[in-house]
Amino acid sequence: MKLYIETVGCQMNELDSELVVASLRKEGYELTHSAAEADTILFNTCSVRQHAEDKVYSALGRLKNAKREHPHKVIGVLGCMAQKDQAIIFKRAPYVDLVVGPGQLHQVPSLVRELRVEGAVRLQRMEVSLGRKEGSRAQIERSHESFDPLRDPAMRPTPHQAYVRIMIGCDKFCTYCIVPSVRGPEQSRPPADIVAESRQLAGEGCREIILLGQTVNSYRYREGERMWRLSDLLAALHEITGLDRIKFVTNYPKDMTNDLLAAVRDLPKVSKYLHVPVQSGSNAVLARMKRGYTVEEYREVLERTREWIPGVAVTSDFIVGFCGETDKEFELTMDLVRESRFKNSFIFKYSERPGTKGADLFTDDVTDEVKRHRNHELLALQNAISEEDNHAFLGQQVTVLVEGPSKAAEKHSEGEAHPAASSEPVQLMGRTHCDRIVVFDGNPRQIGQLLPVTIYDANAHTLFGEVVTRQGGAELFSLSLPTKV
Ligand code: 5AD
Ligand code: SF4
């Protein structure tokens, strides 16, 4: 039996897909890259912006004929859009068989099995969690089940890296954001489970783990008298043999506490890279967004972070064109980007989400043209800064965890055997400890290794380098590596 799965959205979704695939493999499924030859077609969806939803609905539209010709194919919509739209999905695409919210993904194997057994008898199954007002906090919490025990190495970003969920949900309720309603209440996972899973991953060859949470630094877990915070968890994970790097995303500015900054500073395996989205440089906009801090408070967080962790790379997210955003308010965001020198920023045009406070309270009154213009302007400013800062790396040596072939090399070798299977020279990509992307010529056998690379060129997004093979006659790394690449 063949499974085709398409994933959109954040890293949390990528992890969810990995786990769904692992559970279906246990049922005898194998992955295919072709929807046409699949017995089961799944979409793991995102609701953060309208655009992501539109893409899924049009992909579903393209399956209408396939389903008519092959009625036994199971078509499923999973994830945030399933939780948000629920039965609306069946209305818009009546040939969809399965709708499963992010808190119910553990049920996917049995649901798919049920649908296949029924064969030609047309069933539609929907499993979603309770809405934020559909029960007591405890009931709602229970209805969003974390889904973490099974791992599938083949579905990881690379075999040497893995996401590890440390919490689910969000309680911050920023007015633009759909996440708290679709992913439910904030719930932290027990530290012992996280450590055990990370140890297992390290045993399977993972050198880097990326801890995931919508507000990862709000992590709190009470164990008897003891309250575990993210800093405690980092210290525990740091002890795991085989792990070289620990990253975590996404941080909530207000929870950037000194114990966390000290942990990042003092634990060498923890990347000195922090994603701390500010969203806007205007206090009035931040208040409308209900972000819970002012620009001055964010500046203080940034200053403190840089004071405590020299060399730290900070990145941010921005929403442009939020309800009522004036030119002046946007200029304040430009000012903040100009002075903050983020490593990079992700910039989004505001997309109204029905069901959020923002949609109820405010009008989405900034035209798309203005949003687009502001997006370009802010991105151009950020890119100029990123490029300037990347130039400081010219001539420097960095340590790169090699992830795989570069995008260009991947395109070039499409349809060929996986490059790791050959030993032909190939363009590789990896990241520095601070999450900077580095591209260099290497050998597929180097994938998964930590290599010293000297940087000779840089643009806003990428450093270009050459692997250092010898220095002063001394071998720098293992003999299994070619001395010349
Ligand atoms: N419109 C545009 N961007 C959004 N984000 C979240 N909700 C919306 C929305 N309604 C952005 C925020 C967040 C990132 C993951 O997506 O910047 O940090
Ligand atoms: Fe959404 Fe705000 Fe929670 Fe982030 S902190 S997931 S932006 S509600």
Side-chain angles (χ1 to χ4, degrees):
M1 284 183 303
K2 293 199 165 154
L3 166 70
Y4 174 84
I5 185 162
E6 237 175 69
T7 306
V8 287
C10 62
Q11 291 133 322
M12 201 63 106
N13 264 16
E14 285 175 38
L15 174 57
D16 282 339
S17 288
E18 177 188 327
L19 302 174
V20 166
V21 170
S23 62
L24 285 171
R25 269 195 214 273
K26 285 210 150 173
E27 302 270 309
Y29 272 92
E30 56 177 295
L31 271 183
T32 168
H33 293 294
S34 142
E37 64 172 37
D39 305 285
T40 294
I41 300 175
L42 300 176
F43 293 92
N44 193 7
T45 61
C46 171
S47 283
V48 165
R49 283 168 291 273
Q50 182 70 44
H51 179 63
E53 295 192 348
D54 294 344
K55 279 212 306 220
V56 171
Y57 277 117
S58 55
L60 286 175
R62 288 194 293 274
L63 288 177
K64 192 173 178 176
N65 290 336
K67 180 73 178 180
R68 192 179 306 132
E69 285 161 28
H70 307 279
H72 295 284
K73 260 188 212 282
V74 173
I75 300 178
V77 177
L78 317 179
C80 295
M81 212 178 96
Q83 179 67 34
K84 175 175 158 283
D85 286 358
Q86 304 193 359
I88 296 172
I89 296 172
F90 293 136
K91 282 213 183 89
R92 285 186 65 170
Y95 42 91
V96 166
D97 305 285
L98 188 61
V99 168
V100 187
Q104 300 295 324
L105 295 175
H106 56 283
Q107 301 205 47
V108 169
S110 60
L111 291 166
V112 169
R113 207 181 313 132
E114 217 175 290
L115 289 166
R116 294 195 62 85
V117 169
E118 293 302 323
V121 185
R122 192 66 215 291
L123 280 181
Q124 282 181 318
R125 291 298 311 266
M126 183 169 89
E127 290 295 340
V128 290
S129 302
L130 293 175
R132 295 287 304 228
K133 290 185 182 133
E134 290 178 344
S136 69
R137 167 117 193 161
Q139 285 169 327
I140 301 168
E141 279 186 359
R142 269 199 304 280
S143 83
H144 284 268
E145 285 186 47
S146 178
F147 175 42
D148 292 282
L150 291 159
R151 305 302 307 232
D152 187 341
M155 276 304 282
R156 292 208 195 114
T158 77
H160 312 284
Q161 296 164 295
Y163 296 125
V164 176
R165 191 180 344 249
I166 70 164
M167 56 195 296
I168 59 171
C170 181
D171 283 343
K172 305 293 195 272
F173 286 100
C174 304
T175 57
Y176 53 80
C177 189
I178 194 73
V179 169
S181 22
V182 290
R183 286 209 174 251
E186 192 177 297
Q187 300 182 70
S188 295
R189 266 182 97 192
D193 291 6
I194 298 168
V195 170
E197 186 176 322
S198 304
R199 202 170 272 138
Q200 182 207 332
L201 289 164
E204 289 170 7
C206 268
R207 304 190 75 166
E208 175 176 288
I209 53 170
I210 303 159
L211 309 179
L212 298 185
Q214 308 298 341
T215 53
V216 73
N217 57 337
S218 313
Y219 180 87
R220 287 271 178 293
Y221 193 89
R222 177 169 290 289
E223 210 175 50
E225 288 294 284
R226 181 170 182 199
M227 180 64 93
W228 284 73
R229 294 161 301 176
L230 178 58
S231 54
D232 304 309
L233 194 56
L234 290 173
L237 294 169
H238 197 265
E239 298 298 307
I240 296 176
T241 318
L243 280 188
D244 292 298
R245 288 182 179 179
I246 306 169
K247 295 179 178 172
F248 53 91
V249 283
T250 289
N251 292 287
Y252 187 63
K254 266 179 75 169
D255 292 331
M256 218 62 217
T257 48
N258 290 344
D259 60 298
L260 179 58
L261 297 181
V264 177
R265 180 193 59 197
D266 298 337
L267 299 170
K269 290 182 182 178
V270 176
S271 290
K272 287 164 184 49
Y273 152 65
L274 296 169
H275 184 53
V276 196
V278 60
Q279 310 296 358
S280 168
S282 148
N283 280 332
V285 174
L286 288 175
R288 290 202 289 282
M289 291 177 166
K290 271 211 164 47
R291 282 290 285 178
Y293 53 83
T294 62
V295 180
E296 291 71 29
E297 284 166 334
Y298 185 86
R299 277 202 184 99
E300 186 276 324
V301 168
L302 200 57
E303 266 166 35
R304 190 158 37 90
T305 302
R306 288 188 167 142
E307 194 181 302
W308 282 60
I309 315 167
V312 67
V314 181
T315 59
S316 180
D317 290 348
F318 289 91
I319 295 177
V320 295
F322 186 61
C323 308
E325 187 186 67
T326 62
D327 284 340
K328 255 210 178 110
E329 288 167 345
F330 173 67
E331 282 309 318
L332 292 170
T333 299
M334 290 285 286
D335 292 345
L336 184 67
V337 167
R338 210 171 280 122
E339 72 177 54
S340 298
R341 301 203 80 86
F342 296 114
K343 175 176 82 80
N344 59 273
S345 291
F346 300 94
I347 301 165
F348 307 101
K349 295 183 295 173
Y350 173 59
S351 167
E352 186 178 82
R353 307 291 49 226
T356 58
K357 274 260 154 30
D360 286 349
L361 294 173
F362 312 115
T363 318
D364 179 15
D365 54 0
V366 178
T367 64
D368 196 55
E369 199 191 332
V370 171
K371 284 178 187 168
R372 225 175 322 135
H373 188 255
R374 289 179 185 167
N375 193 339
H376 283 159
E377 213 178 321
L378 196 58
L379 193 60
L381 173 60
Q382 177 61 62
N383 282 347
I385 291 168
S386 301
E387 181 158 355
E388 221 174 270
D389 286 357
N390 274 350
H391 277 155
F393 283 86
L394 297 183
Q396 302 281 318
Q397 186 176 309
V398 295
T399 304
V400 175
L401 175 60
V402 187
E403 294 185 10
S406 70
K407 270 193 194 141
E410 222 165 32
K411 238 191 179 146
H412 189 68
S413 70
E414 243 165 47
E416 292 174 21
H418 193 273
S422 83
S423 58
E424 292 291 303
V426 65
Q427 194 180 55
L428 297 174
M429 72 76 64
R431 281 169 210 263
T432 67
H433 215 346
C434 280
D435 210 52
R436 289 189 167 83
I437 294 171
V438 183
V439 166
F440 57 96
D441 287 333
N443 188 299
R445 277 177 299 164
Q446 292 167 319
I447 294 170
Q449 299 187 359
L450 283 166
L451 294 183
V453 174
T454 304
I455 304 305
Y456 63 79
D457 198 5
N459 63 28
H461 306 289
T462 312
L463 305 175
F464 299 90
E466 215 163 46
V467 179
V468 181
T469 47
R470 280 165 191 273
Q471 208 175 47
E475 286 275 347
L476 260 184
F477 44 91
S478 115
L479 285 167
S480 64
L481 282 175
T483 46
K484 198 162 184 332
V485 284

